[in-house]
Structure formats: structure tokens, C-alpha cells
Amino acid sequence: EKGNYRHFMLKEIFEQPTVVAQTLRSYLRPLEQQVALPQIDFDISGVDRVTIVACGTSYYAGMVAKYWFEQFARVPVDIDFASEFRYRQPVLPEGGLALFISQSGETADTLAALRHCKAEGQTIAVVVNVPTSSMAREADLLLPTHAGPEIGVASTKAFTCQLAVLAALAAHFAVKKGRLSPAEEAEIVAHLLEAPACLNAALAHDEEIAAMAHLIAPARDVLYLGRGPDFPLALEGALKLKEISYIHAEGYAAGEMKHGPIALIDEAVPVIVLAPSGPLFEKTVSNMQEVRARGGKIVLISDAEGLEEAGEGCLATIEMPSVHPLIAPLVYAVPVQLLAYHVAVAKGTDVDQPRNLAKSVTVE
Ligand code: M6R
């Protein structure tokens, strides 16, 4: 069922506009310009602290959500890898909400963390793609993603659908906390509804990204830089590249480069910079210039405005549509997925079944 696609991963990348729209449909009321969770018998307004637990790509979706929950709802968020959370004797707040994010709903560490939180009296919310999974069954508040079955080991469409749900949840939370006016809520809904078209616009760069894969394929190390909600995207980009192309890659918060990793930079290390124009753009660009001054080769992913300002002298650029910062993490996921995909194809690896990995990690 790969259709005309060479791999499931590519098919799933291209399904994103459709499945994100599908997911948003069950969280937004476009006519009323409101957010609406599928299950509303839980009063989220009493929650004063959120604990997010997940693994891998789902963890990075949780990292993005932390920015959103704190920015919109002004509620503090703790986030941890499930495998760390379980063993660090976390202090859980009374009446707290524990949020688990998982494509499969079966990841052993995440499931064990969920059971621990349940035993500790937390309310359990789950963002999950498999509706029949253990996590879905054990949740108090089930927030399904409607990505459809994800076959490729590298998670793609599940991630953007998780982000769509988490953005809606953050907005709902903010409304219930009295932090968003109806006009602000309407604005958020409008921006989220722009996501599918913007994902399509990002996908239109597929061939161009395929053509630049040979620039990255010979590298031994690759760095990804981002700031704010796009910092987790840098981590996600690095994870995607590692897992399917076997190139060592690291994601860094752009401002953290000069505290060590900049020592790695030379002509042989491509640096992928995720920098949508917006409040953090100038800061990220100045970190990019520091890299360039050390001979680093930059691939800048930005919009027309950003590329106009900082695109010159880069090894390559990828132009994204101009988007509201809220949906930038969804849209910028596409070029990092495509870049990893095409580099892996160029290297001839088994894209859908990379070595040493399983789709669902059910061992601890
Ligand atoms: O099913 P889950 O979302 O709980 O899986 C978590 C990770 O195992 C998963 O995201 C993994 O990191 C992917 N292979 C990343 O592409």
C-alpha cells in the first residue's frame, strides 16, 4: 500500500496535510472559531502544573508543547524522558495533570510511567495514535491523533498530528484558565487551520531537497540549530537523520553553541539552521554567523523574508512559507523529515526498517 511512493516514510510525510487537517477537525470548531476537546467532562481549569512524559520523537513534540502551555496558559510544565522519569522519584503536584505522548501507545517506559502517575493520583491525559492501545485504554482523558497507521520506523505524520493536538490543548487550557480572550482564541484557531495548506507548501520543496541530499550524505557529523519552539525541531531533525541515514547528528539550542559544540565546526560539518522570521530570528542568525566565521557550511531553512536577510553565503537554503510562529514547528518538520529521507536514500539504507530499531519499543 505504498502507492506511488518508494517508501512508507515518504508516503507518510506526504500524508501530513491530510492527516493534520483530519486531526484538527476533532479539536477545532471553525465556524465558532473555538477550540473544543473531544472529551470535555474533565475540568482542566483546576490544573496548576503539568508533567509531560514521552520517548523519542513524541518527547520532542512534548518539548514544543511545554513552550505553548507556558506561553498561552501560563502553567508550569515539567517534561522528562519516560526512562528517566520512572527512576528519578519525581515529586508530583496534588491534583496534577500527567500527559503522555505516544504514537503506538505501547512504549514500555512511557506506559510504566503512566501507571506510576495513576497510582500517585494524577489525572492521566494521553495523546496517542493507536486508539486500541494500552495507553488509550488506561487514560482518563484520551486525546487521539488521527494520523492513521504509521508504518515507517521513523515517526513523521504522528509527530505533526501530536503537535496539532497539543496546540489545541494548550489553547483550550489557556481559555479555561482565563488567559485567552475570545478574539485571541479565534486567532489561534485561524492559524491552526492554516497549517494543512502551509504543510503542502513545504512539501512542494521535495525535489529541491532531494537534489541537495548529496551535500549532506558524505558528512560524518551534522548539527541542527533552532531556538524556542523550533529548538525541539533541531533535536527531531538530528534524530531523524541519525536513525535512517546513520550519520551522527546533534540538535542544539542555537544560543548554546558557543558553550562548547562550536569547537566541532569546520568545513566538513554541515549545520542545518531552522530560523523562521519572527522575534527569535536575529538571535539565531547571529549564532549562524558565528558558525560561518569558523568555516561551517550552513543550510538555512527560513521563509522568504529570512532568506532575503541571511541567505547569502549559505551552502543551501530551503524556503518555507511565511507562517505564524505557532505553526512553525509543524511546517518546519517537513524539510527536516525530507532532508533525512533523501540523505538516507542517497546512502542506500533501509529507510523504512533501519538497522537496530523497532517501530514500537516494548522493552524497558
Ligand atoms: O510509539 P511512541 O511514540 O511511544 O514511540 C516513541 C519512540 O520510540 C519513537 O518516537 C522513536 O524515537 C522513533 N523511531 C523516532 O522516529
Side-chain angles (χ1 to χ4, degrees), residues 21-69:
Q22 201 164 289
T23 299
L24 286 173
R25 264 200 290 282
S26 54
Y27 290 86
L28 303 180
R29 292 203 196 109
L31 293 179
E32 294 87 344
Q33 298 184 296
Q34 283 173 345
V35 182
L37 298 195
Q39 187 184 325
I40 42 172
D41 55 341
F42 168 70
D43 180 16
I44 205 168
S45 65
V47 171
D48 290 321
R49 192 167 199 102
V50 177
T51 305
I52 300 181
V53 182
C55 301
T57 289
S58 298
Y59 173 81
Y60 297 141
M63 277 183 78
V64 176
K66 175 182 163 83
Y67 288 88
W68 291 338
F69 288 0

Side-chain angles (χ1 to χ4, degrees), residues 45 47-50 65-77 169-180:
S45 65
V47 171
D48 290 321
R49 192 167 199 102
V50 177
K66 175 182 163 83
Y67 288 88
W68 291 338
F69 288 0
E70 296 190 341
Q71 181 189 344
F72 296 121
R74 307 298 301 146
V75 170
V77 174
L169 179 62
H172 172 77
F173 206 174
V175 169
K176 295 289 171 198
K177 283 268 175 203
R179 301 272 183 194
L180 276 189

Side-chain angles (χ1 to χ4, degrees), residues 1-8 10-11 14-15 206 341:
E1 329 99 61
K2 274 181 288 197
N4 293 328
Y5 293 100
R6 185 161 165 199
H7 296 98
F8 280 108
L10 190 62
K11 174 174 177 261
F14 272 86
E15 279 170 358
D206 178 44
Y341 173 77

